[in-house]
Amino acid sequence: MQFDRKLQLATDLYQFTMGNVYVQDGKAAEEAVFDVFIRENPFGGGYTVVAGLEQVIDYIKGLQFTKEDTLLLKKNHPEFSKEFLDYLENFKFEGEIYAVPEGSIIFPFEPIIRVKGPLVQAQLVETTILSIVNHQTLIATKAARIIEEAKGDVVMEFGLRRAHGTEAGFFGARAAVIGGCDGTSVVETEEMLDRPSMGTMSHSFILSYDTETEAFEKYVKYNPDNAILLVDTYNTLGQGVPNAVKVFKKALEVGDITGQYGIRIDSGDLAYLSIESRKLLDEAGLQAAGIVGSSDLDEYLIKDLKIQGAKINAWGVGTKLITAYDCPALGGVYKLASIDGKPKLKVSNDPGKITNPGYKKVFRIYGKCNDMALADLMTLDHEVIDENEPLTIFHPVYTWKKRTINNYYVREIMVPIFEAGKCVYESPSILEIQAHLRDEKAHLWPAFKRMVNPHVYHLDLSQELWSLKQRLLSEAE
């Protein structure tokens, strides 16, 4: 049986059960503020890359419930009142959303998205927003880490066949390009990303011909602009590369190669095989031939291969990128921060799960002398920072850890996306988002970008926000 997706129902049941109560209890119109944030950076890293905002915008713009939807809800959940179901049929998001633009670098506990609106509306969008942002942000961050270790080499996302479904592969490929990948193998993304997909050949193509040489000749003949030959089907150095050399030289002599050409190695000791392959190619006068490496790569293996002197100049990264192999979930949360102007705070025995109350914003502080990010400061929305005055910040838990900053400037990291239910934000292109991330990383000290044991970036609270939090904590005791 085939089912048509209904994104408006791609949510948790409790969003509707709570909404049913809010509508009947007269709370639906109370003004609520929710924050989307993470509690820790993924992969043990020092930063996180935001992605998925464009899909959140599309979701909010198209969010509505049909009569068919409400009949289905009534059938399966007879406790839902007619008043609530009527509310859904007339649903229109009327709230405000501020967010950190895609490609931005953020850190734990600071809002990625801030939603303000009627309580039932702000509540109903929770699950879908989290699903979109958690997935794409995770993949974009993984890609950014891989790009960091590739050191300027071409990186291609090759993971669709290992993704958690085709939708995850589609939007994961988008996030990977945001993170810095040069392209993706997913043909479906070509219109979305406004760029052609990328790829080579499989071992089955080689095996479908009587000889490896014949397979190479046929591939080059029909793919003159992308003649990348997979050389490890039988014997990489003893057969694959020598056969590729013969085919390349012959094709180049008669002008049958009109674009890029080279080899791909997908198994074995990639460092040794690429070094020896480079020698064979260069000895044959094929210095322009590239070497693509694949085979369960990630940022750690790419770093190690480079240390070992691997002669690979392009990387095909699949499973460990598209599945975020070593960190399968981001863990972003959606927490109530204010209701009808009253700041709210979630208390927990785990200090890391205590939320920050109120209607907030975040400033990023930069040094004027070098334009490098120094720290972030979370404040209540009405607070302003006088850049002409020294700024003293302090750790929100270890408050004796203080720092006074001079000669600085600040930037608010969230921007308006929806105001009074209307989208006021124009989404940038993927290339613009990718360039924004490069700029963000350029303003981040190397210590925060280390793959292992990165320095912890400081997110501090303003004195007013910190005092509010302490007051609410004491009242909750």
Side-chain angles (χ1 to χ4, degrees):
M1 182 181 295
Q2 183 174 349
F3 294 93
D4 293 326
R5 293 293 311 278
K6 291 177 175 287
L7 197 58
Q8 68 272 27
L9 300 182
T11 188
D12 295 305
L13 175 61
Y14 77 179
Q15 309 296 4
F16 290 114
T17 60
M18 290 186 291
N20 183 45
V21 174
Y22 292 152
V23 168
Q24 293 185 82
D25 201 40
K27 289 178 65 69
E30 292 182 6
E31 185 181 78
V33 176
F34 286 88
D35 295 329
V36 175
F37 62 92
I38 61 172
R39 293 192 175 108
E40 61 182 8
N41 293 312
F43 315 107
Y47 65 91
T48 299
V49 177
V50 175
L53 178 59
E54 184 174 313
Q55 282 64 51
V56 169
I57 292 170
D58 291 343
Y59 161 65
I60 296 294
K61 283 181 175 179
L63 184 55
Q64 58 182 349
F65 298 89
T66 66
K67 185 69 175 179
E68 181 184 4
D69 296 332
T70 57
L71 288 173
L72 179 65
L73 289 170
K74 184 64 177 177
K75 171 187 173 184
N76 293 322
H77 306 281
E79 69 276 14
F80 289 169
S81 67
K82 182 180 185 303
E83 186 181 5
F84 174 57
L85 297 175
D86 287 345
Y87 179 91
L88 290 182
E89 287 184 24
N90 293 285
F91 184 95
K92 183 180 183 301
F93 183 77
E94 301 167 323
E96 167 198 288
I97 295 179
Y98 272 60
V100 180
E102 292 188 275
S104 297
I105 286 176
I106 54 97
F107 303 95
F109 301 107
E110 57 193 25
I112 302 171
I113 297 176
R114 185 185 70 194
V115 179
K116 182 173 77 171
L119 175 58
V120 68
Q121 294 183 20
Q123 184 70 69
L124 280 172
V125 300
E126 172 188 3
T127 299
T128 308
I129 287 178
L130 284 177
S131 177
I132 294 168
V133 172
N134 274 332
H135 174 238
Q136 288 201 46
T137 297
L138 184 67
I139 304 305
T141 305
K142 184 66 171 178
R145 289 167 58 83
I146 291 168
I147 295 301
E148 193 73 23
E149 293 307 323
K151 306 297 183 187
D153 293 344
V154 170
V155 177
M156 299 168 283
E157 184 279 311
F158 278 0
L160 178 59
R161 67 189 60 199
R162 304 289 172 77
H164 298 167
T166 54
E167 185 177 87
F170 178 73
F171 288 113
R174 176 184 187 273
V177 172
I178 286 174
C181 288
D182 294 271
T184 170
S185 66
V186 186
V187 178
E188 189 186 4
T189 67
E190 291 185 338
E191 182 178 359
M192 174 177 65
L193 301 181
D194 193 26
R195 59 171 60 189
S197 50
M198 307 172 79
T200 60
M201 60 164 64
S202 71
H203 294 101
S204 62
F205 180 85
I206 309 294
L207 295 171
S208 71
Y209 287 91
D210 291 335
T211 68
E212 187 176 55
T213 299
E214 183 186 7
F216 287 172
E217 289 173 340
K218 296 295 186 182
Y219 194 83
V220 170
K221 178 180 179 180
Y222 296 109
N223 292 276
D225 290 327
N226 184 37
I228 307 297
L229 304 179
L230 184 59
V231 296
D232 70 330
T233 304
Y234 301 111
N235 183 324
T236 302
L237 298 178
Q239 183 176 336
V241 179
N243 286 339
V245 165
K246 287 188 294 185
V247 171
F248 287 148
K249 293 186 74 172
K250 180 179 178 181
L252 288 166
E253 286 174 2
V254 297
D256 283 350
I257 292 179
T258 56
Q260 64 178 349
Y261 70 98
I263 64 172
R264 177 163 74 97
I265 307 171
D266 189 51
S267 60
D269 185 337
L270 296 186
Y272 170 74
L273 292 174
S274 66
I275 291 169
E276 295 303 312
S277 295
R278 185 74 267 164
K279 291 177 182 177
L280 293 173
L281 291 168
D282 289 350
E283 288 169 359
L286 300 174
Q287 286 83 1
I291 299 180
V292 179
S294 51
S295 183
D296 285 335
L297 297 172
D298 62 9
E299 64 268 42
Y300 302 105
L301 186 51
I302 290 173
K303 180 177 182 177
D304 286 346
L305 287 168
K306 282 187 164 290
I307 290 172
Q308 295 170 52
K311 299 299 182 181
I312 295 170
N313 61 300
W315 308 85
V317 188
T319 303
K320 292 185 177 179
L321 169 55
I322 203 64
T323 66
Y325 196 78
D326 49 336
C327 180
L330 181 63
V333 294
Y334 189 93
K335 296 299 180 183
L336 182 69
S338 173
I339 187 78
D340 260 1
K342 300 174 184 176
K344 293 290 182 177
L345 172 146
K346 176 184 180 294
V347 180
S348 172
N349 291 328
D350 180 352
K353 290 192 173 184
I354 298 174
T355 60
N356 292 303
Y359 187 51
K360 303 174 295 294
K361 60 187 176 185
V362 179
F363 293 98
R364 184 150 295 162
I365 308 166
Y366 296 88
K368 278 187 177 178
C369 61
N370 53 25
D371 293 319
M372 299 299 282
L374 302 175
D376 285 4
L377 182 66
M378 189 187 304
T379 75
L380 294 171
D381 190 64
H382 66 268
E383 294 187 73
V384 296
I385 295 176
D386 185 349
E387 297 174 354
N388 296 312
E389 296 292 330
L391 178 63
T392 298
I393 58 177
F394 60 90
H395 193 285
V397 177
Y398 310 110
T399 54
W400 61 90
K401 294 184 177 181
K402 296 185 178 182
R403 178 184 183 185
T404 297
I405 303 173
N406 294 282
N407 196 31
Y408 67 92
Y409 63 93
V410 300
R411 174 177 66 87
E412 282 191 50
I413 67 171
M414 285 195 293
V415 299
I417 309 298
F418 284 87
E419 291 182 345
K422 181 180 178 181
C423 184
V424 296
Y425 180 77
E426 184 175 347
S427 296
S429 70
I430 290 291
L431 289 181
E432 289 171 328
I433 296 170
Q434 195 184 72
H436 176 58
L437 175 57
R438 285 196 299 271
D439 183 67
E440 289 271 283
K441 291 171 79 173
H443 294 285
L444 193 64
W445 291 103
F448 303 114
K449 295 183 281 189
R450 286 197 299 259
M451 293 301 106
V452 179
N453 295 324
H455 192 56
V456 177
Y457 188 86
H458 290 168
L459 169 66
D460 297 330
L461 306 185
S462 69
Q463 180 65 60
E464 187 173 350
L465 176 56
W466 184 86
S467 297
L468 172 63
K469 184 174 184 177
Q470 300 312 304
R471 177 173 66 80
L472 295 177
L473 282 171
S474 64
E475 291 174 356
E477 292 178 354

